[in-house]
Amino acid sequence: MQALFPTCRLRRGTAAPFEFAAAEQDLQDIAYTRTNGEAGTVKQMIDDSYTDSFLVVKSGAIVTEQYFNNMTADSHHLMNSMTKSFVGMLAGIAVERGQLNPEALITEYLPGLDNSAWEGATVRHLLDMTAGAYYHEDYADPEADFWKEAATVGWRPALVNENTPESLYDYARSLQGKDQENGSMFHYRTVTTNVIGMILEKTMGGRLGDLLTDEIWSKLSPRNDANVVVDKLGALYVGAGMSACTRDLANFGMMMIDEGRLNGQQIVPAGWIQDSIAGDETSGQCYEDSEYAAFGFSHYRNQVWIKDSARQVMLALGIHGQIIYMDKLNDIVMVKLSTQPESVDMEMFMDAFAAMDAIAAKLAA
């Protein structure tokens, strides 16, 4: 990404990198039932799903670490929508400090977004992807709204024309109308995360890159910097544009499953993590009514997928096979970075989730 597009660097800071212990185990032959009903193994899942890296950490110790396709522990990989979960956690910091009210209308923070797409939408609607703005995210459609927005950061040059907005903010302002009532249903819209980023700049009083660096990235004790693609004005494309290294993403996962702490430092408020896992009285139904109900998750909250609220398993997900699997009860984090040909290959995602569940069960036994 840094070679191809303008990016903002999230610097790792001066703290020593997190030191993982070692507890190596061979997980290759762990069995699980594949989506098609056949028996599969972890090795088959890794081999069949265009895996670039696969890391399993239990209680701060690396159980397995594998790299493919010239990846190494210090190789950056595009995260796609896993980026969103970092923004959701930064929002939690702002809420705890009283800088952000989740129930406030977004126009209280961004009065320029007074177009019909955002009318009546609150910050909570953005965080939980229940805002009604007309915006379609069919990745298979080369002219979907998702790709038109991505064109503002150079990802779809073929879609750039004289009408293309100059910035992510201008793109959000250009949207018109709704395809659902605010708060009525979970509907995945990358634009909502970019708007959250704009709001956080206003409420926290700083550039988003600095906020993500100072409040989250540098506090994770990472080995490497991260980077985020930016638009022409330098605004971060936090809906999908972050790149980072595998072990550093495991640090984020470990922070998430330890009530927002890592290395004894409180990074994200514990209550925000708990709120994400529990959801509210509408979270489950909003998810069940969505096109993503086929995944069988509990809900989506604060820019995090809650795979199983009772088991306290969270996910950060990105298209083309990016996964951070976070099992809070069993203190297990798994990171899988991939280059799958299809944006959303449901069978590959479902098989990966099933294999990770099997690994977690084995390590927890």
Side-chain angles (χ1 to χ4, degrees):
M1 289 295 108
Q2 292 181 104
L4 294 170
F5 304 101
T7 58
C8 171
R9 181 167 290 195
L10 309 184
R11 299 198 177 275
R12 60 166 299 274
T14 57
F18 180 86
E19 289 292 338
F20 291 91
E24 187 173 342
Q25 292 187 44
D26 185 355
L27 309 177
Q28 300 287 295
D29 294 329
I30 292 177
Y32 72 99
T33 302
R34 303 178 64 177
T35 307
N36 61 12
E38 297 177 359
T41 65
V42 169
K43 183 180 188 306
Q44 289 173 327
M45 181 276 291
I46 291 172
D47 290 345
D48 294 347
S49 58
Y50 302 87
T51 305
D52 295 322
S53 67
F54 187 65
L55 175 65
V56 179
V57 177
K58 163 74 170 168
S59 302
I62 293 177
V63 178
T64 191
E65 184 174 26
Q66 298 173 271
Y67 296 96
F68 310 89
N69 306 321
N70 298 317
M71 279 277 287
T72 71
D74 295 314
S75 298
H76 286 76
H77 196 292
L78 182 63
M79 296 159 50
N80 290 308
S81 288
M82 293 200 308
T83 311
K84 294 179 170 74
S85 297
F86 284 78
V87 178
M89 295 307 105
L90 182 61
I93 295 170
V95 170
E96 184 189 49
R97 292 177 182 170
Q99 297 170 318
L100 180 66
N101 176 9
E103 307 311 320
L105 293 172
I106 67 173
T107 48
E108 290 188 26
Y109 302 113
L110 298 173
L113 292 190
D114 57 355
N115 40 317
S116 58
W118 303 110
E119 183 181 2
T122 66
V123 174
R124 171 54 59 201
H125 294 142
L126 301 181
L127 287 166
D128 295 354
M129 295 278 190
T130 60
Y134 189 93
Y135 176 100
H136 283 197
E137 193 142 347
D138 180 359
Y139 306 110
D141 178 0
E143 296 196 3
D145 296 314
F146 171 80
W147 295 120
K148 290 178 181 177
E149 184 182 27
T152 66
V153 297
W155 279 11
R156 277 295 184 270
L159 293 180
V160 176
N161 56 46
E162 65 275 7
N163 298 317
T164 299
E166 286 291 300
S167 66
L168 292 163
Y169 175 74
D170 289 339
Y171 179 83
R173 277 176 51 84
S174 74
L175 297 181
Q176 296 297 325
K178 295 181 172 61
D179 54 17
Q180 69 176 58
E181 291 294 320
N182 292 319
S184 63
M185 184 177 70
F186 169 62
H187 188 145
Y188 200 78
R189 295 171 170 88
T190 287
V191 66
T192 62
T193 312
N194 291 320
V195 173
I196 294 170
M198 300 169 201
I199 291 173
L200 290 173
E201 285 196 332
K202 292 280 188 180
T203 64
M204 300 184 81
R207 296 289 290 176
L208 187 57
D210 294 335
L211 295 169
L212 285 168
T213 295
D214 297 341
E215 302 292 352
I216 296 183
W217 190 254
S218 65
K219 292 182 178 181
L220 292 174
S221 303
R223 287 163 56 103
N224 295 284
D225 295 347
N227 64 79
V228 186
V229 173
V230 300
D231 68 14
K232 294 178 181 178
L233 301 182
L236 276 66
Y237 182 41
V238 288
M242 185 170 170
S243 296
C245 302
T246 307
R247 287 189 183 183
D248 296 339
L249 294 175
N251 291 11
F252 177 79
M254 290 189 296
M255 178 271 293
M256 293 286 288
I257 64 174
D258 192 21
E259 303 284 6
R261 294 185 300 267
L262 187 70
N263 268 349
Q265 183 177 18
Q266 194 73 42
I267 301 173
V268 174
W272 192 250
I273 307 284
Q274 293 158 5
D275 176 78
S276 301
I277 294 171
D280 64 15
E281 65 276 5
T282 68
S283 299
Q285 193 61 55
C286 282
Y287 177 81
E288 288 178 18
D289 291 340
S290 77
E291 61 185 323
Y292 285 91
F295 276 140
F297 298 163
S298 293
H299 58 264
Y300 185 93
R301 180 81 165 175
N302 298 330
Q303 304 284 293
V304 176
W305 300 83
I306 306 304
K307 185 178 186 295
D308 190 320
S309 185
R311 289 179 49 225
Q312 300 189 48
V313 177
M314 300 172 278
L315 300 169
L317 300 178
I319 56 174
H320 298 286
Q322 323 317 322
I323 304 170
I324 306 177
Y325 178 106
M326 298 165 277
D327 182 338
K328 190 172 184 294
L329 293 182
N330 295 311
D331 199 7
I332 295 168
V333 173
M334 304 181 217
V335 179
K336 183 183 190 298
L337 301 175
S338 318
T339 312
Q340 295 173 4
E342 299 296 326
S343 300
V344 180
D345 188 314
M346 288 289 286
E347 185 169 332
M348 284 187 187
F349 268 113
M350 296 291 280
D351 280 0
F353 300 149
M356 289 175 173
D357 283 343
I359 291 171
K362 174 75 171 178
L363 295 180

